[in-house]
């Protein structure tokens, strides 16, 4: 998708968070060993990914369920919920590619991992370059899987092509407008807070500008109609 400059953003005097941020692949790393977590996050960011992290199983599951990642790096041994439990619950909801990190007996874990729905696994200790290569392959493979078409009245969203048609006419959205619309559409019937939308759009370390979301929603409404996205005062936005 072409990326028109965020004119509304510029007009309000906000700095853009970084070049080509809209295009970043988003990875979740769930790992309870702080040094490994830090070095993985750093290496992935250097590769150009947006990275979210979780140090405990329940936090990892929450993020995996509530945000759409391009891939998840998931440690097996974690506090509160282990990697298998996370994977099992996640697979009931979505097919996000998962790379398991295991320190245990490789064969047993491999069988269990593939049975539970892991897409690949790495035995610790591993080479960072191997992890990066596996992750790239995982994301490439998952790009060929079918993704949903969403109908919202006369608005049609093709989540694979990331395109939007309204009343038979293509509508051009910026990458961020599209990301907001798709996220709300995939969570139809739920109220999504500005903070959650903001975290979905940007790296979680930038946490200051969640009112930028309002600017994008205003712009989506101009293009797709006022009634598509409802505001719940004090709570966030929803598509019904
Ligand atoms: Ca661990």
């Amino acid at each position: 998708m072409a990326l028109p400059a965020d004119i509304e953003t510029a007009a309000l005097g906000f700095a853009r968070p970084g070049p080509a941020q809209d295009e970043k692949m988003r990875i979740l790393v769930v790992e309870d060993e702080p040094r490994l977590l830090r070095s993985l996050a750093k290496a992935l960011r250097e590769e150009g990914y947006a990275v979210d992290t979780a140090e405990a199983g329940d936090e990892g599951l929450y993020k995996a369920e509530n945000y759409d990642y391009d891939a998840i790096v998931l440690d097996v041994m974690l506090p509160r919920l282990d990697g298998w439990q996370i994977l099992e619950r996640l697979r009931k909801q979505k097919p996000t590619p998962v790379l398991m990190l295991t320190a245990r007996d490789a064969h047993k874990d491999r069988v269990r991992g593939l049975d539970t729905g892991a897409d690949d696994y790495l035995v610790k200790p591993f080479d960072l370059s191997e992890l990066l290569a596996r992750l790239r392959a995982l994301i490439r493979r998952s790009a060929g899987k079918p993704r949903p078409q969403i109908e919202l009245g006369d608005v049609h969203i093709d989540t694979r092509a990331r395109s939007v048609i309204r009343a038979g006419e293509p509508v051009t959205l910026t990458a961020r407008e599209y990301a907001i619309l798709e996220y709300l559409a995939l969570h139809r019937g739920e109220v999504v807070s500005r903070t959650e939308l903001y975290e979905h759009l940007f790296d979680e370390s930038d946490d200051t500008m969640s009112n930028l979301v309002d600017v994008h929603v205003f712009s989506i409404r101009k293009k797709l109609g006022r009634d598509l996205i409802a505001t719940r005062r004090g709570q966030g936005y929803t598509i019904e």
Side-chain angles (χ1 to χ4, degrees):
M1 182 188 284
L3 285 181
D6 270 4
I7 293 159
E8 313 96 323
T9 304
L12 289 176
F14 293 118
R16 281 171 67 83
Q21 188 120 14
D22 312 75
E23 299 265 38
K24 274 189 185 178
M25 297 272 186
R26 197 170 179 79
I27 310 286
L28 172 66
V29 183
V30 189
E31 167 62 63
D32 59 322
E33 210 281 286
R35 275 172 55 195
L36 180 57
L37 180 63
R38 269 201 306 277
S39 70
L40 280 176
K42 181 168 178 285
L44 289 166
R45 287 187 178 119
E46 282 169 5
E47 287 291 302
Y49 297 109
V51 180
D52 285 359
T53 58
E55 290 188 35
D58 49 358
E59 185 193 0
L61 179 64
Y62 177 83
K63 289 186 174 175
E65 286 180 329
N66 287 285
Y67 309 127
D68 291 322
Y69 293 100
D70 294 287
I72 299 171
V73 177
L74 182 59
D75 188 28
V76 169
M77 299 296 285
L78 291 165
R80 296 203 278 278
L81 273 181
D82 71 24
W84 302 125
Q85 294 170 305
I86 294 174
L87 184 60
E88 209 178 318
R89 294 199 201 175
L90 182 68
R91 278 293 170 263
K92 289 180 182 150
Q93 297 183 46
K94 45 170 119 169
T96 315
V98 171
L99 175 65
M100 300 291 287
L101 300 181
T102 166
R104 289 192 280 175
D105 170 68
H107 178 70
K108 242 172 45 199
D109 265 5
R110 168 160 201 190
V111 170
R112 183 168 180 191
L114 298 177
D115 278 353
T116 319
D119 299 271
D120 200 356
Y121 83 109
L122 264 180
V123 179
K124 290 179 176 176
F126 52 83
D127 263 359
L128 211 47
S129 57
E130 175 158 21
L131 179 128
L132 293 173
R134 299 275 192 100
L135 211 50
R136 280 194 298 270
L138 213 58
I139 291 169
R140 245 193 336 265
R141 284 205 303 276
S142 80
K145 288 183 187 165
R147 299 193 61 187
Q149 311 278 318
I150 304 170
E151 305 288 343
L152 304 165
D154 65 349
V155 174
H156 175 93
I157 304 169
D158 181 336
T159 63
R160 178 149 174 69
R162 299 172 67 83
S163 64
V164 177
I165 292 171
R166 183 192 186 193
E169 296 291 322
V171 177
T172 304
L173 298 183
T174 67
R176 282 181 201 150
E177 288 164 8
Y178 177 83
I180 290 174
L181 177 67
E182 184 192 271
Y183 194 80
L184 288 171
L186 289 171
H187 294 81
R188 228 172 317 173
E190 298 168 28
V191 178
V192 180
S193 72
R194 287 174 176 78
T195 308
E196 189 177 332
L197 277 173
Y198 188 80
E199 286 176 356
H200 173 68
L201 287 183
F202 304 107
D203 223 342
E204 63 183 344
S205 49
D206 311 321
D207 58 2
T208 48
M209 303 188 294
S210 65
N211 60 346
L212 255 186
V213 168
D214 299 351
V215 176
H216 292 304
V217 169
F218 178 77
S219 172
I220 295 170
R221 284 177 174 151
K222 272 199 304 200
K223 295 174 180 178
L224 294 175
R226 293 212 60 77
D227 301 332
L228 181 66
I229 299 174
T231 303
R232 291 290 170 79
R233 208 133 66 94
Q235 298 178 64
Y237 294 107
T238 186
I239 288 180
E240 280 153 353

